[in-house]
Amino acid sequence: MDKEKTTVNDKERFIDRLLSMKFNIKGISFEMIDILFVVILWLAALIIRIKLLPVQSADYYGFLYPWMEKIEELGGFSSMGTKISDYASSYMYLMCYVQSVTDDWLTGLKVVSYIFDFAASVAIFMIVYQLTKSTRKSIAAMTILLLSPAVIIDSAYYCQCDSIYTFFILLAIYFILKKNSRLCMIMIGVAFSFKFQTIFILPFIVILWLRKYVIKLIDFIWIPVIYVISIIPAWMFGRSLKDLLLIYFAQGNEYTWGTLNFPNFYSLMDEAMPNYHMGEVLSVPGILMTLMLLGLLAYYIYAKKVSFENNHELIIITAIFTVALTVYTLPHIHERYGFLIDILAIIYAIKRPRRIPLMCAFFTVTVIIYMIYLTGVYVFSMQTMTIVETVLIMILGIDLYKEINSISKSSS
């Protein structure tokens, strides 16, 4: 009997030794159990996405598929000389590539988004490791991102590509933590070349510049430089340079509703799609209101002489609050434009665990508003969801206020 116990214990100790074997990858320490978990995670996340490949959303039928047909009709990459969609050239190049390599356009477009889902998971791992120096917490962030409803629905169900620009914004945040202004702004430039929604992170970047933390004024030039570089191939194919430079202006004028099913300020005024009362009238006042509120925040942080040095938590709180405030107050916001908020909420919850319920609340809001567009089901009214979103942003604002004042007291 004792011999049998010894054998069992020996086997258990062998398993323990195997799972606790240490590896060093790019200066980060992993145990075998960490690596096995990540492998299983990636397989599970991939299987989920593969199972959702056949799903065809209204966006695919109404926009992406007709664009792909036009690309095929005009000869693939040669089609870049013609205005086909309201998307930026960078993503249209990817669409042309998908058309050139497969006839299954739905799968091809989703695979592109899937690749960036996994790339974003690596980026968030890098950010959290930089913040915490904890491999386990970094893996937790990666897990939440890959399995979060916003990411899965956006790429695997919706067939959208928000993970692309978000990936580059995450890299920008990583380079802020690494104190590299140039690489940060290059990543912002690449993100902007894919999606106009990159502007949501710019108020945060400006605040860092005002407080002389990492960001240098000269490096802002990378945003227009990279955008111009991104449109050169389309211009060489014959597309009007004016059209290419003004793509995002055209996007802004395309939708006149106060909000396209995102629970922000304009929902309370019943300016949510499909209702229409005075959406165009609200456009300029709404933009000015947003600028003034963000300006007030920047003014407060600057006047308080807040230092971001060695305060990574303040950096993350400021980032998520400025993005949330921007999306909440800007007019003509789509339901998907809260995507970046959800991703930043993951980082915030890992850094400050008591805010895990806040992250889950943002996820819940995302699922509910996505379902309005994707299925036509209103679980709650837009006004109710706006009140919830307002409370969540208020919590972020209170957290930021407390963090700033604790810094001010400790430095005085």
Side-chain angles (χ1 to χ4, degrees):
M1 186 69 179
D2 291 339
K3 186 176 181 181
E4 289 180 4
K5 284 184 178 180
T6 303
T7 304
V8 171
N9 289 334
D10 286 343
K11 288 182 179 178
E12 289 174 347
R13 285 195 294 271
F14 171 75
I15 291 173
D16 291 339
R17 288 197 298 271
L18 177 65
L19 294 179
S20 61
M21 286 176 61
K22 294 186 181 296
F23 301 87
N24 194 285
I25 304 174
K26 299 291 185 180
I28 302 175
S29 178
F30 292 87
E31 291 185 4
M32 177 63 78
I33 191 171
D34 302 324
I35 295 173
L36 288 174
F37 179 83
V38 171
V39 170
I40 294 170
L41 165 67
W42 279 45
L43 285 173
L46 183 59
I47 290 170
I48 291 170
R49 285 160 172 79
I50 290 173
K51 290 294 184 181
L52 291 172
L53 278 174
V55 176
Q56 299 181 9
S57 68
D59 258 26
Y60 178 74
Y61 266 128
F63 299 98
L64 297 171
Y65 182 75
W67 294 345
M68 293 296 287
E69 284 189 313
K70 198 68 177 177
I71 289 170
E72 183 178 53
E73 177 188 330
L74 296 175
F77 282 97
S78 300
S79 67
M80 290 307 303
T82 306
K83 180 181 178 181
I84 294 175
S85 75
D86 61 350
Y87 273 32
S89 299
S90 295
Y91 187 68
M92 295 304 296
Y93 301 146
L94 293 177
M95 293 186 74
C96 290
Y97 176 74
V98 168
Q99 185 277 327
S100 70
V101 298
T102 180
D103 293 328
D104 187 353
W105 299 336
L106 177 65
T107 297
L109 292 174
K110 285 191 176 184
V111 166
V112 169
S113 295
Y114 293 177
I115 290 170
F116 281 94
D117 285 353
F118 285 90
S121 76
V122 175
I124 205 170
F125 176 97
M126 293 162 57
I127 290 171
V128 172
Y129 188 82
Q130 191 66 28
L131 292 171
T132 66
K133 302 302 180 185
S134 168
T135 303
R136 300 282 164 80
K137 289 181 179 180
S138 304
I139 291 174
M142 173 185 283
T143 303
I144 297 170
L145 185 145
L146 284 175
L147 301 181
S148 71
V151 177
I152 292 174
I153 294 174
D154 191 274
S155 62
Y157 191 109
Y158 215 152
C159 195
Q160 279 294 343
C161 57
D162 295 286
S163 57
I164 299 179
Y165 83 92
T166 301
F167 164 66
F168 290 108
I169 288 177
L170 289 175
L171 287 183
I173 293 173
Y174 173 75
F175 286 121
I176 287 170
L177 299 176
K178 297 292 285 186
K179 297 187 177 181
N180 192 321
S181 173
R182 180 176 297 177
L183 286 178
C184 167
M185 297 310 291
I186 288 174
M187 292 302 106
I188 295 290
V190 176
F192 185 74
S193 74
F194 278 97
K195 283 282 189 175
F196 184 64
Q197 290 92 290
T198 302
I199 66 166
F200 301 155
I201 199 68
L202 286 182
F204 164 66
I205 300 296
V206 170
I207 287 172
L208 294 183
W209 168 72
L210 283 172
R211 291 306 305 140
K212 299 180 181 178
Y213 184 77
V214 178
I215 304 300
K216 299 175 182 176
L217 183 61
I218 186 64
D219 289 325
F220 278 89
I221 194 66
W222 285 106
I223 298 176
V225 165
I226 291 175
Y227 182 80
V228 170
I229 291 172
S230 75
I231 66 175
I232 288 176
W235 175 58
M236 293 180 68
F237 275 113
R239 181 92 181 266
S240 163
L241 183 60
K242 180 181 177 181
D243 284 350
L244 291 167
L245 290 172
L246 299 179
I247 282 175
Y248 290 144
F249 288 96
Q251 284 182 6
N253 295 325
E254 189 169 348
Y255 301 101
T256 53
W257 293 280
T259 173
L260 284 81
N261 292 325
F262 185 83
N264 65 7
F265 172 75
Y266 305 93
S267 294
L268 296 176
M269 303 175 68
D270 198 29
E271 288 294 333
M273 187 179 184
N275 298 331
Y276 181 84
H277 306 294
M278 50 182 178
E280 290 180 344
V281 176
L282 290 171
S283 184
V284 172
I287 292 171
L288 289 176
M289 176 181 68
T290 302
L291 292 175
M292 288 305 300
L293 287 172
L294 291 169
L296 175 63
L297 176 63
Y299 165 71
Y300 178 74
I301 290 175
Y302 184 81
K304 294 284 284 187
K305 295 181 171 58
V306 175
S307 174
F308 289 92
E309 192 69 42
N310 299 321
N311 195 328
H312 289 161
E313 192 158 344
L314 177 62
I315 292 172
I316 299 305
I317 298 174
T318 306
I320 187 174
F321 179 71
T322 53
V323 171
L325 181 62
T326 302
V327 176
Y328 184 81
T329 55
L330 268 181
H332 316 310
I333 295 296
H334 295 235
E335 70 283 338
R336 291 180 290 106
Y337 290 5
F339 187 87
L340 183 58
I341 301 174
D342 284 7
I343 303 304
L344 294 177
I346 297 171
I347 302 171
Y348 187 40
I350 295 294
K351 182 65 179 171
R352 186 176 280 190
R354 67 186 179 86
R355 286 307 181 212
I356 290 175
L358 184 75
M359 174 192 71
C360 294
F362 275 121
F363 287 174
T364 303
V365 170
T366 294
V367 172
I368 292 173
I369 63 174
Y370 272 24
M371 288 305 101
I372 293 173
Y373 179 73
L374 294 173
T375 67
V377 174
Y378 281 79
V379 179
F380 299 103
S381 69
M382 285 298 296
Q383 286 82 2
T384 300
M385 297 311 302
T386 300
I387 292 170
V388 173
E389 188 78 5
T390 304
V391 171
L392 298 181
I393 294 173
M394 286 175 61
I395 292 171
L396 288 174
I398 292 169
D399 283 354
L400 178 58
Y401 175 78
K402 288 180 177 179
E403 189 69 25
I404 291 173
N405 275 276
S406 67
I407 294 171
S408 299
K409 287 179 182 179
S410 62
S411 60
S412 60

